[in-house]
Amino acid sequence: MNPLAHLRQAGRRHAHLADAAIALAVLTATLLTAFAGRSGTTGGHGTTAIAAAALSCGVLAGRRRRPLVALGVSAAAAEVFLAESGGTSGVLILLAPLIALYTVADLVERRPGLILGSGAVAALALIHVVHGPALLGPQNLAFIALGGLAIAAGDSSRNRRAYLAEVERRAERAERERELDARRRIAEERLRIARDLHDAVGHQLALISVQSNVAGQALDRDPAAASEAIAHVKSASRKALGELRDTVTLLRQPGDPAAPTAIPAPGLDGLDELLASLRASGLGVGLRVDGTAVPLAPAADLTAYRVIQEALTNVYKHSRRRQARLTLSYDRQELRITVDDPGGDRAADEPSHADRPVPAGRHGIAGMRERVLALGGHFAAGPRPGGAFQVTADLPYQPLDLAPEPAP
């Protein structure tokens, strides 16, 4: 940092000391040029001139607190000094009102500051014309020019300060907006992870719950069925733990061991495995595909899988007949997913599940709806006549603005 920058920083830290130093420098320069080589400066006129010069320069020490007062007092005292000292040797005293004029243009509101500053310059120039003939001509024109420069410099300083303040405000606002956006993204990511955890682990836990109930009922009268149900519980619990581990690893802090994120998210290509798992657990699922299968965008593919998984899991938990129909209808622009629980009475040889409590939270349906609507699709779920229940979801192949733009 150069010495000038050091001086500027010191002046900002100790503004009043800097103002006092400026006042002392102007006073010293004025007295030296006005009375150097003269005799008899201790007379009445000399004493009055020195007092006026001291007053004109001294008020500069408080120019930041009272700029208008400093301008008025400094200008009046400077004119008294010029009148008492005689001649033009003490013209440097006019630096004091010029500095005060700069302060008015810098600190007073812009419009009043410009008006008052211009009026002060005009008034002083007129006084010089009337009472100071020695200051007429080039010196008076130079004073008017310097007054204009002082006003322009003060106005420029004000504009620069306002610009820097606006830049700082915008930077602070942008920083706050970035923090809010980061918090929003974190909240959205947490919600997404919670949905994935509910869809993935909830499906397996539902299987565990139902198979445990089957095993408990068949333990005495059908050990083979109980053993098969327990095997399903073991398999489902292993899958649930795997899903839980993969999801939780996403929440690790930077620097922790790498999470297994390379495992692709499930999609419709894993539908056969999902249906096989449900069928092995005792849910009869019929699959129908209408139209030609169209590849979905990754987000839509994951959502389609999760909707099917959650809807079939609900049928598995709550259906009387333990039957479901899954229909995938590929249209020109979207995929319609329909999951039907036919309802009706259960078969005579099926174990009773009527005493199993139904969860009251309905987080599964709410989660499916939020997933589908987030991609610009449509979702509906509700009962049908005869105790049936139906879930439908329409998913665009390319959600929202992810569709490629047409070629020009």
Side-chain angles (χ1 to χ4, degrees):
M1 186 179 294
N2 55 42
L4 185 59
H6 280 293
L7 288 176
R8 279 199 296 264
Q9 287 189 355
R12 293 191 190 100
R13 288 194 302 267
H14 308 287
H16 298 301
L17 292 179
D19 291 342
I22 291 173
L24 181 60
V26 173
L27 176 62
T28 302
T30 299
L31 294 180
L32 287 177
T33 56
F35 300 115
R38 286 193 185 185
S39 60
T41 58
T42 58
H45 291 289
T47 304
T48 303
I50 293 175
L55 179 60
S56 179
C57 297
V59 293
L60 295 180
R63 63 190 177 94
R64 299 178 194 271
R65 289 192 296 268
R66 296 288 186 273
L68 292 176
V69 173
L71 175 61
V73 173
S74 179
E79 293 302 321
V80 171
F81 173 81
L82 290 175
E84 294 294 330
S85 62
T88 61
S89 58
V91 73
L92 285 182
I93 192 62
L94 293 177
L95 288 176
L98 289 176
I99 294 173
L101 189 64
Y102 164 87
T103 307
V104 169
D106 183 23
L107 300 182
V108 179
E109 292 185 7
R110 190 171 192 270
R111 185 180 179 85
L114 293 178
I115 293 175
L116 292 173
S118 301
V121 172
L124 290 176
L126 183 61
I127 291 174
H128 296 163
V129 170
V130 175
H131 297 288
L135 293 175
L136 291 177
Q139 290 184 337
N140 203 26
L141 292 177
F143 170 75
I144 295 174
L146 289 175
L149 288 177
I151 294 174
D155 188 60
S156 175
S157 176
R158 170 210 305 286
N159 292 337
R160 182 175 181 275
R161 189 170 59 252
Y163 170 76
L164 293 177
E166 180 64 23
V167 168
E168 291 179 358
R169 283 195 296 269
R170 291 187 178 183
E172 292 175 357
R173 184 166 61 249
E175 183 66 23
R176 289 195 300 269
E177 291 176 354
R178 282 195 295 268
E179 291 179 359
L180 292 176
D181 184 65
R183 292 178 183 177
R184 179 183 59 81
R185 291 179 181 274
I186 291 173
E188 290 177 352
E189 182 66 13
R190 287 176 176 173
L191 180 59
R192 185 193 66 79
I193 292 174
R195 288 172 179 168
D196 287 342
L197 194 61
H198 173 271
D199 293 342
V201 180
H203 166 72
Q204 303 297 341
L205 292 180
L207 297 181
I208 292 172
S209 174
V210 175
Q211 292 296 335
S212 298
N213 189 26
V214 172
Q217 294 181 1
L219 187 61
D220 294 332
R221 58 185 176 84
D222 192 352
S227 177
E228 182 181 358
I230 291 174
H232 286 307
V233 169
K234 182 178 180 181
S235 175
S237 62
R238 185 182 300 112
K239 291 181 180 179
L241 288 174
E243 294 275 3
L244 180 62
R245 181 178 60 253
D246 292 343
T247 304
V248 171
T249 50
L250 297 175
L251 304 177
R252 291 182 176 177
Q253 298 294 327
D256 289 346
T261 54
I263 301 176
L268 292 182
D269 55 352
L271 183 59
D272 292 338
E273 182 181 354
L274 173 64
L275 298 182
S277 173
L278 288 167
R279 287 165 180 160
S281 301
L283 177 66
V285 183
L287 173 62
R288 176 182 172 183
V289 179
D290 295 332
T292 303
V294 177
L296 276 68
D301 196 29
L302 172 61
T303 299
Y305 180 89
R306 292 305 190 195
V307 168
I308 295 172
Q309 181 186 52
E310 180 64 30
L312 291 178
T313 300
N314 288 341
V315 175
Y316 184 84
K317 290 191 293 184
H318 308 309
S319 173
R320 293 182 176 183
R321 297 177 58 185
R322 308 295 297 283
Q323 295 289 328
R325 290 195 301 267
L326 170 61
T327 304
L328 302 179
S329 301
Y330 289 91
D331 198 353
R332 294 183 58 184
Q333 297 180 346
E334 63 184 14
L335 166 65
R336 164 163 285 199
I337 301 170
T338 306
V339 178
D340 287 298
D341 173 8
D345 297 331
R346 62 184 175 85
D349 58 345
E350 289 181 0
S352 175
H353 301 282
D355 56 345
R356 181 171 58 248
V358 178
R362 294 187 179 272
H363 295 296
I365 292 178
M368 287 189 287
R369 177 179 290 107
E370 291 175 359
R371 282 180 177 274
V372 173
L373 295 182
L375 299 181
H378 302 279
F379 179 85
R384 294 293 184 269
F389 196 91
Q390 186 180 77
V391 173
T392 59
D394 298 331
L395 284 172
Y397 299 142
Q398 294 288 340
L400 299 178
D401 58 348
L402 299 180
E405 296 183 358

